[in-house]
Amino acid sequence: MSWQQKLKKQIGTQPYSEIKQLRFNNLQLNKLPEDFVSELHKCTNLEILSLNQCGIRSLENLQQMCSVTQLEYLDNFTTSKTLQQIAKTFPNLEVLIAGGNFLRELRDLDALKPLTKLETLNIMNGINKPDSDIRKYAFEILPRLKLLDEKDKYGQIYVEPKQEKKQFEVETQINMEQEEVSQEDEESALCSDDSNEEEESDSDDEEDSDLSDFIEKKVKNE
């Protein structure tokens, strides 16, 4: 599938201004075509852009896209120069997924220093250095960084507070729903008991009425 077909499939009949994410994975783009770039820049409110495994060697013909906060850029031909282009083109990135690329030294990451909002970075298998060295360096130069290759600065799997809060809210909602169901069951049981008592009372009344009729008939016959 060509990038034109993927673009058409994702946009459909929506106005370009309403497009929040675009994914162009597994394409052989090498250098981004001018018509591709032109279409991309029409999406003025784009937040997520995915260009995984596209064989891209340069982003130099992309203009600045300030609305993009997440870039997925796995398995391309990324160098320190490409990282500079990424930082310049997407200054408000919060998430950068760029693993499986060709970075050589720790100082190649210096190109990301302008990304002052960057919180999540994935460069897995990108630098041939010990993980502890990469982690220490990345967290030193990127003050907002929370997650590197799916782990925090101590090498532990990181769970965002928002996720914990969301999980708590979900559990609370479930508990509330269960309590409501339990309360409804109790009310239903009480109603059932009342109904049974009324039926028993009606039955007793009918028996009393039958007995009275029997006595009255017997008296008349006598």
Side-chain angles (χ1 to χ4, degrees):
M1 185 181 293
S2 66
W3 70 262
Q4 292 94 337
Q5 291 172 319
K6 289 195 174 188
L7 179 66
K8 184 177 181 180
K9 184 177 180 180
Q10 293 178 81
I11 292 182
T13 59
Q14 300 178 79
Y16 280 89
S17 60
E18 293 183 6
I19 303 302
K20 298 296 184 182
Q21 60 177 303
L22 287 174
R23 300 185 180 278
F24 301 97
N25 299 326
N26 302 307
L27 295 174
Q28 290 304 313
L29 296 177
N30 195 356
K31 183 179 179 181
L32 299 181
E34 290 298 333
D35 49 350
F36 174 85
V37 171
S38 177
E39 291 294 305
L40 205 57
H41 286 151
K42 293 178 183 178
C43 303
T44 54
N45 293 310
L46 188 67
E47 296 177 359
I48 299 174
L49 176 61
S50 182
L51 297 169
N52 295 322
Q53 299 177 327
C54 288
I56 300 172
R57 296 178 179 273
S58 175
L59 296 171
E60 61 184 359
N61 55 339
L62 269 180
Q63 298 176 13
Q64 196 171 70
M65 301 182 68
C66 295
S67 63
V68 176
T69 58
Q70 177 172 323
L71 175 65
E72 298 176 14
Y73 199 73
L74 290 168
D75 298 326
N76 288 295
F77 295 96
T78 299
T79 63
S80 59
K81 183 177 180 180
T82 314
L83 291 183
Q84 291 175 2
Q85 294 170 351
I86 288 175
K88 182 179 180 180
T89 305
F90 309 103
N92 293 317
L93 278 186
E94 298 174 7
V95 178
L96 174 58
I97 311 299
N101 286 292
F102 297 94
L103 301 176
R104 295 181 179 180
E105 302 292 337
L106 290 175
R107 62 175 177 270
D108 289 345
L109 297 178
D110 290 349
L112 300 178
K113 285 183 178 180
L115 298 177
T116 57
K117 298 180 181 180
L118 191 64
E119 296 184 353
T120 299
L121 175 63
N122 185 313
I123 53 170
M124 197 171 291
N125 302 321
I127 300 178
N128 188 22
K129 298 288 183 181
D131 178 78
S132 57
D133 292 349
I134 299 173
R135 193 167 304 280
K136 180 181 178 182
Y137 191 80
F139 277 91
E140 284 179 353
I141 66 170
L142 301 169
R144 290 286 297 273
L145 194 64
K146 294 181 180 179
L147 194 61
L148 174 65
D149 297 340
E150 303 179 2
K151 296 179 181 179
D152 64 15
K153 66 186 299 183
Y154 304 107
Q156 302 297 318
I157 295 177
Y158 180 76
V159 179
E160 292 189 29
K162 289 182 180 179
Q163 293 178 338
E164 294 177 343
K165 181 179 179 181
K166 184 176 182 180
Q167 180 64 26
F168 173 77
E169 291 174 348
V170 169
E171 292 175 353
T172 301
Q173 180 65 26
I174 292 174
N175 291 336
M176 290 175 63
E177 291 175 355
Q178 289 176 343
E179 289 176 0
E180 290 176 359
V181 170
S182 177
Q183 185 175 0
E184 289 175 359
D185 290 341
E186 291 177 0
E187 292 175 355
S188 177
L190 289 173
C191 291
S192 177
D193 291 341
D194 292 340
S195 176
N196 290 336
E197 289 177 2
E198 290 176 1
E199 290 176 0
E200 291 175 1
S201 177
D202 292 340
S203 177
D204 291 339
D205 291 342
E206 290 176 1
E207 290 177 0
D208 291 340
S209 177
D210 292 340
L211 180 60
S212 298
D213 291 341
F214 174 77
I215 294 173
E216 185 177 352
K217 289 179 180 179
K218 187 174 182 181
V219 170
K220 286 182 179 180
N221 291 334
E222 292 177 351

